[in-house]
């Protein structure tokens, strides 16, 4: 039987849901407000959350676990759903991250063979975030970290965030950079036709974040830092030849910072990707060939993607047994220290 560890599986807790409901009613200019209003203040915007994501987010040990049993899915690697605590003020964010991490650690302790967890932290307060990272790994025994792309329109190439990049690297803990809606400067034409969401804007936002990190040379400061991005690498694997070629030319021409490695080398060394929300055998085949079988991890993206099609996708994927085992569970065990 193929062991299956799904690596982008979202949950929430009532305290975070309540805080996001306040955000939905507040003055935020963030494009995430469409989604936050739809999920957490559903009464106010009828029908947005037609799929009732909130129930799926708040349920971990009941219907979700039952469905995992029915589908023979071994584990969900859980993470606080986007936008996490990143829309709150620094103090609220720091407190709610710790609360969510405690709740997550309790779930993993109750079901150690079924759930592992990625800890939240509050980039709004980088030094306290580093402390929470240490607590999450050393005390709560969690498996890595979740970050939902930008925080107040700023990205991890900004040295203000480097205290917690240093902590993550020192802890040998991977940061999963998950989407949220495009930042204020990026959102322009992404606000129409439903493009703000997972349909397109999420990928643009998250892919841009990863490219900012590589082109700015962050990985020269943190060579051992490991980043995971979902959705088959947010289109970067397909774009990698062009990104590499044009960045090298820009470095020669002085339009891009000098880096010790090329973009393709950084993506290979410092990144892994997951298959979340891209159940396309051809995209999987290309990504494995492009990045190697050690760098692609299976995911469902529950509750935003249904479980059964995602597990059928990996089970029926035309891969040899060794490659399939790496994608389905071995790579997750290595990257997220899961036994
Ligand atoms: C936080 O809200 C989300 C919404 C959706 C969506 O399909 O509308 C997808 C994701 C996701 O892919 O994680 C997250
Ligand atoms: Mn997701």
């Amino acid at each position: 039987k193929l062991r299956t560890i799904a690596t982008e599986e979202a949950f929430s807790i009532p305290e975070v849901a309540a805080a996001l409901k306040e955000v939905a009613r507040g003055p935020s200019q963030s494009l995430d407000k469409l989604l936050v209003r739809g999920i957490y203040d559903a009464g106010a915007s009828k029908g947005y959350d037609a799929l009732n994501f909130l129930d799926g987010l708040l349920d971990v040990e009941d219907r979700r676990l039952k469905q995992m049993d029915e589908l023979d899915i071994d584990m969900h690697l859980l993470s606080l759903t986007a936008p996490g605590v990143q829309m709150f003020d620094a103090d609220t964010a720091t407190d709610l991250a710790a609360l969510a991490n405690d709740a997550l650690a309790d779930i993993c302790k109750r079901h150690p063979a079924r759930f592992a967890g990625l800890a939240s932290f509050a980039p709004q307060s980088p030094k306290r975030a580093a402390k929470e990272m240490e607590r999450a790994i050393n005390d709560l025994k969690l498996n890595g970290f979740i970050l939902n792309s930008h925080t107040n329109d700023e990205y991890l190439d900004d040295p203000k965030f480097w205290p917690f990049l240093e902590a993550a690297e020192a802890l040998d803990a991977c940061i999963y950079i998950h989407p949220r809606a495009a930042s204020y400067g990026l959102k322009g034409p992404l606000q129409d036709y439903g493009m703000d969401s997972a349909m397109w804007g999420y990928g643009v936002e998250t892919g841009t974040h990863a490219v900012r990190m590589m082109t700015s040379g962050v990985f020269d400061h943190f060579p051992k830092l490991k980043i995971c991005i979902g959705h088959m690498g947010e289109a970067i694997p397909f774009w990698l030849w062009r990104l590499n070629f044009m960045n090298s030319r820009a470095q020669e021409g002085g339009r891009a910072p000098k880096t010790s490695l090329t973009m393709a080398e950084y993506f290979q060394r410092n990144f892994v990707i997951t298959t979340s929300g891209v159940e396309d055998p051809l995209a999987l085949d290309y990504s494995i060939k492009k990045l190697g079988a050690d760098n692609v991890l299976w995911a469902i993206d529950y509750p935003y993607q249904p479980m059964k099609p995602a597990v059928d996708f990996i089970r029926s994927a035309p891969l040899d047994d060794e490659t399939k085992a790496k994608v389905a569970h071995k790579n997750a065990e290595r990257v997220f220290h899961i036994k």
Side-chain angles (χ1 to χ4, degrees):
K1 180 185 86 61
L2 179 68
R3 187 176 195 222
T4 47
I5 302 177
T7 54
E8 187 184 314
E9 314 315 318
F11 83 103
S12 193
I13 56 174
E15 295 83 353
V16 172
L20 284 172
K21 186 170 188 172
E22 290 312 302
V23 167
R25 297 180 171 179
S28 169
Q29 295 289 308
S30 162
L31 188 55
D32 286 293
K33 205 154 153 207
L34 289 180
L35 172 108
V36 163
R37 200 182 296 140
I39 295 179
Y40 301 97
D41 198 8
S45 55
K46 285 235 172 318
Y48 178 97
D49 185 8
L51 299 170
N52 195 5
F53 291 144
L54 187 52
D55 284 355
L57 291 165
L58 294 173
D59 160 63
V60 176
E61 300 168 86
D62 186 353
R63 283 192 336 280
R64 181 191 307 232
L65 188 51
K66 214 172 270 104
Q67 204 183 4
M68 287 166 66
D69 291 344
E70 284 158 14
L71 294 170
D72 218 355
I73 294 170
D74 293 278
M75 296 190 79
H76 274 202
L77 177 62
L78 297 167
S79 45
L80 185 64
T81 196
V85 300
Q86 294 159 239
M87 293 181 82
F88 309 134
D89 65 270
D91 291 344
T92 304
T94 300
D95 294 345
L96 285 176
L99 192 68
N101 292 340
D102 289 341
L104 178 53
D106 289 346
I107 293 169
C108 298
K109 275 194 198 77
R110 283 195 291 275
H111 307 274
R114 313 306 304 278
F115 296 112
L118 299 181
S120 299
F121 57 92
Q124 298 90 320
S125 181
K127 287 198 175 41
R128 286 189 289 177
K131 287 272 160 284
E132 181 60 12
M133 281 183 159
E134 285 154 9
R135 185 180 82 94
I137 302 299
N138 298 332
D139 304 347
L140 299 181
K141 307 295 180 209
L142 290 173
N143 301 82
F145 307 113
I146 184 77
L147 178 72
N148 302 286
S149 201
H150 77 85
T151 302
N152 295 324
D153 307 316
E154 295 178 318
Y155 296 85
L156 295 185
D157 57 291
D158 187 327
K160 76 178 354 179
F161 297 127
W162 290 1
F164 62 74
L165 294 191
E166 188 175 0
E169 185 187 44
L171 291 160
D172 184 26
C174 179
I175 301 176
Y176 199 128
I177 302 186
H178 183 278
R180 64 178 287 194
S183 60
Y184 191 80
L186 190 59
K187 71 179 185 178
L190 297 173
Q191 298 176 79
D192 307 300
Y193 318 122
M195 289 166 59
D196 61 288
S197 68
M199 182 205 303
W200 187 252
Y202 282 14
V204 172
E205 164 63 31
T206 315
T208 299
H209 200 148
V211 170
R212 283 187 68 87
M213 292 180 77
M214 292 190 282
T215 53
S216 64
V218 161
F219 296 107
D220 288 345
H221 297 278
F222 306 105
K224 294 200 307 296
L225 177 62
K226 194 63 100 180
I227 303 290
C228 180
I229 54 176
H231 315 109
M232 215 62 90
E234 310 292 359
I236 293 173
F238 188 80
W239 203 254
L240 203 49
W241 190 95
R242 184 164 178 74
L243 173 65
N244 201 68
F245 180 92
M246 291 301 176
N247 171 267
S248 301
R249 178 185 281 181
Q251 288 198 31
E252 280 148 30
R255 281 185 300 104
K258 287 272 180 258
T259 57
S260 62
L261 300 184
T262 68
M263 298 304 108
E265 287 167 336
Y266 286 130
F267 200 71
Q268 194 69 41
R269 182 189 73 176
N270 295 95
F271 283 80
V272 293
I273 71 170
T274 82
T275 66
S276 55
V278 181
E279 294 160 20
D280 175 346
L282 206 47
L284 176 62
D285 183 54
Y286 168 84
S287 299
I288 291 170
K289 286 181 174 129
K290 190 72 178 175
L291 306 176
D294 295 336
N295 294 315
V296 182
L297 290 67
W298 177 64
I300 299 167
D301 209 351
Y302 184 84
Y304 305 104
Q305 302 281 156
M307 287 197 221
K308 185 166 182 349
V311 74
D312 291 347
F313 163 67
I314 189 62
R315 286 195 176 118
S316 64
L319 302 171
D320 64 72
D321 291 351
E322 179 54 21
T323 301
K324 188 169 286 191
K326 286 182 174 184
V327 174
H329 69 95
K330 284 186 177 177
N331 293 338
E333 290 158 5
R334 180 187 85 249
V335 172
F336 296 111
H337 308 295
I338 294 170
K339 281 173 284 308

